[in-house]
PDB file of all heavy atoms in Angstrom:
ATOM      1  N   ASP A  60     106.121  86.114 107.073  1.00 98.00           N
ATOM      2  CA  ASP A  60     105.791  84.685 107.060  1.00 98.00           C
ATOM      3  C   ASP A  60     104.770  84.324 105.990  1.00 98.00           C
ATOM      4  O   ASP A  60     104.204  83.217 106.029  1.00 98.00           O
ATOM      5  CB  ASP A  60     105.219  84.278 108.425  1.00 98.00           C
ATOM      6  CG  ASP A  60     106.206  84.470 109.557  1.00 98.00           C
ATOM      7  OD1 ASP A  60     107.384  84.127 109.378  1.00 98.00           O
ATOM      8  OD2 ASP A  60     105.798  84.967 110.626  1.00 98.00           O
ATOM      9  N   LEU A  61     104.534  85.207 105.035  1.00 98.00           N
ATOM     10  CA  LEU A  61     103.404  85.018 104.125  1.00 98.00           C
ATOM     11  C   LEU A  61     103.489  83.721 103.329  1.00 98.00           C
ATOM     12  O   LEU A  61     102.477  83.038 103.133  1.00 98.00           O
ATOM     13  CB  LEU A  61     103.280  86.215 103.181  1.00 98.00           C
ATOM     14  CG  LEU A  61     102.086  86.179 102.228  1.00 98.00           C
ATOM     15  CD1 LEU A  61     100.771  86.025 102.982  1.00 98.00           C
ATOM     16  CD2 LEU A  61     102.053  87.441 101.362  1.00 98.00           C
ATOM     17  N   ARG A  62     104.670  83.355 102.863  1.00 98.00           N
ATOM     18  CA  ARG A  62     104.763  82.116 102.075  1.00 98.00           C
ATOM     19  C   ARG A  62     104.314  80.921 102.906  1.00 98.00           C
ATOM     20  O   ARG A  62     103.534  80.071 102.436  1.00 98.00           O
ATOM     21  CB  ARG A  62     106.188  81.898 101.580  1.00 98.00           C
ATOM     22  CG  ARG A  62     106.324  80.654 100.707  1.00 98.00           C
ATOM     23  CD  ARG A  62     107.771  80.362 100.326  1.00 98.00           C
ATOM     24  NE  ARG A  62     107.853  79.147  99.530  1.00 98.00           N
ATOM     25  CZ  ARG A  62     107.827  77.922 100.028  1.00 98.00           C
ATOM     26  NH1 ARG A  62     107.701  77.744 101.334  1.00 98.00           N
ATOM     27  NH2 ARG A  62     107.910  76.868  99.233  1.00 98.00           N
ATOM     28  N   THR A  63     104.774  80.846 104.155  1.00 98.00           N
ATOM     29  CA  THR A  63     104.360  79.758 105.047  1.00 98.00           C
ATOM     30  C   THR A  63     102.865  79.814 105.315  1.00 98.00           C
ATOM     31  O   THR A  63     102.171  78.780 105.330  1.00 98.00           O
ATOM     32  CB  THR A  63     105.132  79.839 106.373  1.00 98.00           C
ATOM     33  OG1 THR A  63     106.515  79.631 106.113  1.00 98.00           O
ATOM     34  CG2 THR A  63     104.641  78.815 107.377  1.00 98.00           C
ATOM     35  N   GLN A  64     102.340  81.015 105.515  1.00 98.00           N
ATOM     36  CA  GLN A  64     100.914  81.166 105.799  1.00 98.00           C
ATOM     37  C   GLN A  64     100.066  80.688 104.630  1.00 98.00           C
ATOM     38  O   GLN A  64      99.038  80.018 104.829  1.00 98.00           O
ATOM     39  CB  GLN A  64     100.626  82.629 106.140  1.00 98.00           C
ATOM     40  CG  GLN A  64     101.248  83.054 107.458  1.00 98.00           C
ATOM     41  CD  GLN A  64     101.225  84.560 107.670  1.00 98.00           C
ATOM     42  OE1 GLN A  64     101.023  85.331 106.724  1.00 98.00           O
ATOM     43  NE2 GLN A  64     101.439  84.994 108.899  1.00 98.00           N
ATOM     44  N   ILE A  65     100.472  81.019 103.412  1.00 98.00           N
ATOM     45  CA  ILE A  65      99.732  80.546 102.241  1.00 98.00           C
ATOM     46  C   ILE A  65      99.803  79.025 102.159  1.00 98.00           C
ATOM     47  O   ILE A  65      98.804  78.349 101.911  1.00 98.00           O
ATOM     48  CB  ILE A  65     100.281  81.198 100.956  1.00 98.00           C
ATOM     49  CG1 ILE A  65      99.973  82.696 100.951  1.00 98.00           C
ATOM     50  CG2 ILE A  65      99.685  80.530  99.713  1.00 98.00           C
ATOM     51  CD1 ILE A  65     100.626  83.460  99.812  1.00 98.00           C
ATOM     52  N   SER A  66     100.980  78.475 102.390  1.00 98.00           N
ATOM     53  CA  SER A  66     101.144  77.016 102.319  1.00 98.00           C
ATOM     54  C   SER A  66     100.275  76.304 103.339  1.00 98.00           C
ATOM     55  O   SER A  66      99.779  75.200 103.076  1.00 98.00           O
ATOM     56  CB  SER A  66     102.616  76.641 102.545  1.00 98.00           C
ATOM     57  OG  SER A  66     103.432  77.141 101.507  1.00 98.00           O
ATOM     58  N   GLN A  67     100.078  76.919 104.496  1.00 98.00           N
ATOM     59  CA  GLN A  67      99.315  76.295 105.563  1.00 98.00           C
ATOM     60  C   GLN A  67      97.805  76.541 105.455  1.00 98.00           C
ATOM     61  O   GLN A  67      97.044  76.059 106.297  1.00 98.00           O
ATOM     62  CB  GLN A  67      99.814  76.804 106.921  1.00 98.00           C
ATOM     63  CG  GLN A  67     101.232  76.362 107.251  1.00 98.00           C
ATOM     64  CD  GLN A  67     101.747  76.933 108.558  1.00 98.00           C
ATOM     65  OE1 GLN A  67     101.173  77.873 109.127  1.00 98.00           O
ATOM     66  NE2 GLN A  67     102.850  76.391 109.043  1.00 98.00           N
ATOM     67  N   THR A  68      97.379  77.281 104.425  1.00 98.00           N
ATOM     68  CA  THR A  68      95.974  77.663 104.297  1.00 98.00           C
ATOM     69  C   THR A  68      95.421  77.159 102.967  1.00 98.00           C
ATOM     70  O   THR A  68      95.586  77.790 101.925  1.00 98.00           O
ATOM     71  CB  THR A  68      95.826  79.196 104.377  1.00 98.00           C
ATOM     72  OG1 THR A  68      96.501  79.679 105.551  1.00 98.00           O
ATOM     73  CG2 THR A  68      94.364  79.606 104.415  1.00 98.00           C
ATOM     74  N   PRO A  69      94.767  76.013 102.946  1.00 98.00           N
ATOM     75  CA  PRO A  69      94.275  75.449 101.685  1.00 98.00           C
ATOM     76  C   PRO A  69      93.391  76.396 100.886  1.00 98.00           C
ATOM     77  O   PRO A  69      93.389  76.337  99.647  1.00 98.00           O
ATOM     78  CB  PRO A  69      93.493  74.203 102.146  1.00 98.00           C
ATOM     79  CG  PRO A  69      94.179  73.793 103.418  1.00 98.00           C
ATOM     80  CD  PRO A  69      94.551  75.084 104.088  1.00 98.00           C
ATOM     81  N   ALA A  70      92.648  77.265 101.551  1.00 98.00           N
ATOM     82  CA  ALA A  70      91.778  78.198 100.826  1.00 98.00           C
ATOM     83  C   ALA A  70      92.559  79.132  99.924  1.00 98.00           C
ATOM     84  O   ALA A  70      92.001  79.717  98.988  1.00 98.00           O
ATOM     85  CB  ALA A  70      90.947  79.008 101.819  1.00 98.00           C
ATOM     86  N   LEU A  71      93.867  79.283 100.173  1.00 98.00           N
ATOM     87  CA  LEU A  71      94.692  80.191  99.383  1.00 98.00           C
ATOM     88  C   LEU A  71      95.556  79.468  98.357  1.00 98.00           C
ATOM     89  O   LEU A  71      96.373  80.093  97.680  1.00 98.00           O
ATOM     90  CB  LEU A  71      95.601  81.019 100.311  1.00 98.00           C
ATOM     91  CG  LEU A  71      94.896  81.861 101.376  1.00 98.00           C
ATOM     92  CD1 LEU A  71      95.918  82.696 102.145  1.00 98.00           C
ATOM     93  CD2 LEU A  71      93.831  82.767 100.757  1.00 98.00           C
ATOM     94  N   HIS A  72      95.368  78.160  98.198  1.00 98.00           N
ATOM     95  CA  HIS A  72      96.184  77.403  97.255  1.00 98.00           C
ATOM     96  C   HIS A  72      95.682  77.575  95.817  1.00 98.00           C
ATOM     97  O   HIS A  72      94.483  77.786  95.595  1.00 98.00           O
ATOM     98  CB  HIS A  72      96.155  75.913  97.609  1.00 98.00           C
ATOM     99  CG  HIS A  72      96.860  75.589  98.883  1.00 98.00           C
ATOM    100  ND1 HIS A  72      96.891  74.316  99.414  1.00 98.00           N
ATOM    101  CD2 HIS A  72      97.560  76.374  99.753  1.00 98.00           C
ATOM    102  CE1 HIS A  72      97.570  74.329 100.543  1.00 98.00           C
ATOM    103  NE2 HIS A  72      97.979  75.563 100.777  1.00 98.00           N
ATOM    104  N   PRO A  73      96.573  77.453  94.822  1.00 97.00           N
ATOM    105  CA  PRO A  73      96.142  77.470  93.415  1.00 97.00           C
ATOM    106  C   PRO A  73      95.150  76.349  93.154  1.00 97.00           C
ATOM    107  O   PRO A  73      95.261  75.249  93.715  1.00 97.00           O
ATOM    108  CB  PRO A  73      97.442  77.238  92.640  1.00 97.00           C
ATOM    109  CG  PRO A  73      98.537  77.622  93.587  1.00 97.00           C
ATOM    110  CD  PRO A  73      98.033  77.289  94.954  1.00 97.00           C
ATOM    111  N   ARG A  74      94.176  76.619  92.265  1.00 94.00           N
ATOM    112  CA  ARG A  74      93.144  75.623  92.002  1.00 94.00           C
ATOM    113  C   ARG A  74      92.950  75.315  90.517  1.00 94.00           C
ATOM    114  O   ARG A  74      92.195  74.403  90.170  1.00 94.00           O
ATOM    115  CB  ARG A  74      91.800  76.095  92.589  1.00 94.00           C
ATOM    116  CG  ARG A  74      91.761  76.130  94.095  1.00 94.00           C
ATOM    117  CD  ARG A  74      90.347  76.350  94.598  1.00 94.00           C
ATOM    118  NE  ARG A  74      89.882  77.705  94.329  1.00 94.00           N
ATOM    119  CZ  ARG A  74      89.962  78.714  95.198  1.00 94.00           C
ATOM    120  NH1 ARG A  74      90.515  78.511  96.379  1.00 94.00           N
ATOM    121  NH2 ARG A  74      89.517  79.909  94.887  1.00 94.00           N
ATOM    122  N   GLU A  75      93.604  76.068  89.633  1.00 92.00           N
ATOM    123  CA  GLU A  75      93.369  75.848  88.201  1.00 92.00           C
ATOM    124  C   GLU A  75      94.607  76.260  87.416  1.00 92.00           C
ATOM    125  O   GLU A  75      95.388  77.111  87.844  1.00 92.00           O
ATOM    126  CB  GLU A  75      92.161  76.658  87.735  1.00 92.00           C
ATOM    127  CG  GLU A  75      92.277  78.135  88.035  1.00 92.00           C
ATOM    128  CD  GLU A  75      90.979  78.893  87.815  1.00 92.00           C
ATOM    129  OE1 GLU A  75      89.904  78.304  87.986  1.00 92.00           O
ATOM    130  OE2 GLU A  75      91.073  80.092  87.483  1.00 92.00           O
ATOM    131  N   GLY A  76      94.793  75.618  86.263  1.00 92.00           N
ATOM    132  CA  GLY A  76      95.909  75.959  85.395  1.00 92.00           C
ATOM    133  C   GLY A  76      97.251  75.633  86.022  1.00 92.00           C
ATOM    134  O   GLY A  76      97.349  75.037  87.091  1.00 92.00           O
ATOM    135  N   LEU A  77      98.318  76.031  85.329  1.00 93.00           N
ATOM    136  CA  LEU A  77      99.663  75.799  85.838  1.00 93.00           C
ATOM    137  C   LEU A  77     100.042  76.805  86.916  1.00 93.00           C
ATOM    138  O   LEU A  77     100.829  76.490  87.816  1.00 93.00           O
ATOM    139  CB  LEU A  77     100.673  75.853  84.688  1.00 93.00           C
ATOM    140  CG  LEU A  77     100.553  74.721  83.661  1.00 93.00           C
ATOM    141  CD1 LEU A  77     101.548  74.934  82.523  1.00 93.00           C
ATOM    142  CD2 LEU A  77     100.793  73.368  84.323  1.00 93.00           C
TER     143      LEU A  77
END
Side-chain angles (χ1 to χ4, degrees):
D60 298 317
L61 183 56
R62 182 186 178 280
T63 296
Q64 292 168 344
I65 292 173
S66 295
Q67 293 177 346
T68 309
L71 302 184
H72 291 177
R74 292 191 289 266
E75 55 191 30
L77 293 176

